[in-house]
Amino acid sequence: MVKLSDEMKTEFEKMKIFPLATASKDGVPNVIPIGMCFLQEDLETIWIVDNYFLKTKENIMANPKAAIYVWGPEINGCFQVKGDIEVVDSGEEYEAMRTMVKAKSDRFPAKLLMKMTITDVFECKSGEDAGKKLL
Amino acid sequence: MVKLSDEMKTEFEKMKIFPLATASKDGVPNVIPIGMCFLQEDLETIWIVDNYFLKTKENIMANPKAAIYVWGPEINGCFQVKGDIEVVDSGEEYEAMRTMVKAKSDRFPAKLLMKMTITDVFECKSGEDAGKKLL
């Protein structure tokens, strides 16, 4: 497991929409914009909420890996986070996710909690260092 | 092969930065922001320029598939484009890419032309239709 730095946490929390990439078992990549992506206090876990996932869900069920990046006009730097996903559909964490999402709006179905354990962080800023492993 | 609609073309051309997803042969997803991503006049081919690709290049060499999405504050709707990639490192199209990129700035290495043939387009807007195939 890998912990984001405090500086990365600051940038992460400025993000409104994250690109979430997954891949099918036979390697077809998929990427969608998601809003419900929350870094947890341990700095090594990210909660991703499945409201309307289709291919993303199928991919994660078959191949529980994901990648996001943290970048935007208001973000300092750019980094990619990769991780392993555990799909949570019951229990205390699941209920906590449901409560949090339903407090935002009851219209969200909040179907599943996709709990991502960070495994790697990579430099993502354009230039010679792009792609290098940071953590 | 699949052709984007004229409406999709209009939105595509408003985009400044695209999230580009690839996957390793064993299915590890990767996603990075790219600026050099150009829809061609045939509306079924996208030119992606490799300036600083690392994992993206390794992934494409091993598994020539990619996905991007078209979305942002200034974009109407949201759609994901998937395609097959042909890596071009010489010839007329390669030289045309080099000329175009070098005209922007000589600092860009413009290493390879990643020529994407669109295979699928999916709805990507949050809601019950998210993920459905459009084209």
Side-chain angles (χ1 to χ4, degrees), chain A residues 22-92:
Chain A
T22 57
S24 68
K25 199 143 191 172
D26 55 344
V28 179
N30 196 76
V31 61
I32 60 168
I34 58 162
M36 294 203 187
C37 181
F38 308 100
L39 182 62
Q40 302 299 294
E41 278 191 25
D42 64 8
L43 304 185
E44 62 192 23
T45 312
I46 295 168
W47 282 17
I48 294 167
V49 178
D50 167 19
N51 282 307
Y52 304 109
F53 290 174
L54 186 64
K55 292 181 295 310
T56 295
K57 182 181 159 188
E58 290 167 8
N59 288 351
I60 287 173
M61 293 300 191
N63 176 33
K65 292 178 182 302
I68 60 172
Y69 66 65
V70 171
W71 176 83
E74 71 289 8
I75 305 297
N76 295 323
C78 179
F79 57 95
Q80 184 193 171
V81 178
K82 288 195 205 264
D84 294 326
I85 303 269
E86 177 194 350
V87 180
V88 181
D89 64 359
S90 64
E92 203 175 310

Side-chain angles (χ1 to χ4, degrees), chain A residues 71 78 123-131, chain B residues 33 35 51-52 107-109:
Chain A
W71 176 83
C78 179
E123 179 60 63
C124 217
K125 214 167 111 180
S126 180
E128 293 301 338
D129 288 338
Chain B
N51 283 307
Y52 304 109
R107 80 188 162 89
F108 295 118

Side-chain angles (χ1 to χ4, degrees), chain B residues 48-128:
Chain B
I48 294 168
V49 178
D50 167 20
N51 283 307
Y52 304 109
F53 289 174
L54 188 62
K55 291 180 297 307
T56 296
K57 182 181 158 188
E58 290 167 7
N59 288 352
I60 287 172
M61 293 301 189
N63 176 33
K65 293 178 181 302
I68 59 172
Y69 66 66
V70 171
W71 176 83
E74 72 287 8
I75 305 297
N76 295 321
C78 180
F79 58 96
Q80 185 193 170
V81 178
K82 288 194 206 263
D84 294 326
I85 303 269
E86 178 194 350
V87 179
V88 181
D89 64 0
S90 64
E92 203 174 312
E93 290 185 322
Y94 177 76
E95 294 306 329
M97 176 280 287
R98 298 266 308 169
T99 302
M100 174 186 67
V101 173
K102 294 292 179 184
K104 289 179 195 292
S105 167
D106 199 48
R107 80 188 162 89
F108 295 118
K111 294 173 192 166
L112 293 170
L113 168 60
M114 305 290 195
K115 213 174 127 186
M116 178 170 167
T117 300
I118 301 173
T119 54
D120 308 271
V121 181
F122 299 93
E123 178 61 64
C124 217
K125 214 167 111 179
S126 181
E128 294 301 338

